[in-house]
Amino acid sequence: MLFRSKKNCHKKDIISGDYSHNLGLIATGSRDSSVRVWDYEKVKLEHELLGHTSEVVVVKFLTPFPILLTADNSG
C-alpha cells in the first residue's frame, strides 16, 4: 500500500475529495470555496478552480469521462 501526504493544500479545511484512476488525478473541495486538482504521482497542483460562493461539498469524477462535477453549499 502506498500513502502520500501533502500539507497546506487549501487555505481552509478540505471537506470533499475524489480520485480518478483513469486520469491519475485527485480533486479536493474546501471550506475556502475552491477546488484543486492534483497529479497523484507527483503530488503536484495541476489546476485551481475558483467560482464557488461557499464551501465545496461535492467533487466527483464522472468515470469514464474526463469530467469533474462540483457543488457548493449555496444551493
Side-chain angles (χ1 to χ4, degrees):
M1 181 174 275
L2 179 65
F3 290 97
R4 300 195 186 277
S5 67
K6 178 83 173 155
K7 294 186 183 223
N8 302 317
C9 295
H10 285 269
K11 295 175 186 172
K12 294 185 179 178
D13 295 336
I14 295 171
I15 57 174
S16 57
D18 197 21
Y19 171 68
S20 171
H21 181 73
N22 293 345
L23 300 173
L25 298 173
I26 296 172
T28 55
S30 173
R31 291 191 193 281
D32 66 11
S33 304
S34 71
V35 175
R36 293 187 177 179
V37 180
W38 305 85
D39 179 288
Y40 175 75
E41 288 292 323
K42 299 174 185 170
V43 192
K44 177 184 167 206
L45 180 64
E46 294 290 326
H47 301 286
E48 182 174 24
L49 309 173
L50 303 173
H52 285 286
T53 57
S54 65
E55 59 189 23
V56 179
V57 294
V58 174
V59 294
K60 180 70 179 159
F61 286 101
L62 301 179
T63 305
F65 307 105
I67 297 172
L68 178 65
L69 171 88
T70 66
D72 66 33
N73 210 16
S74 67

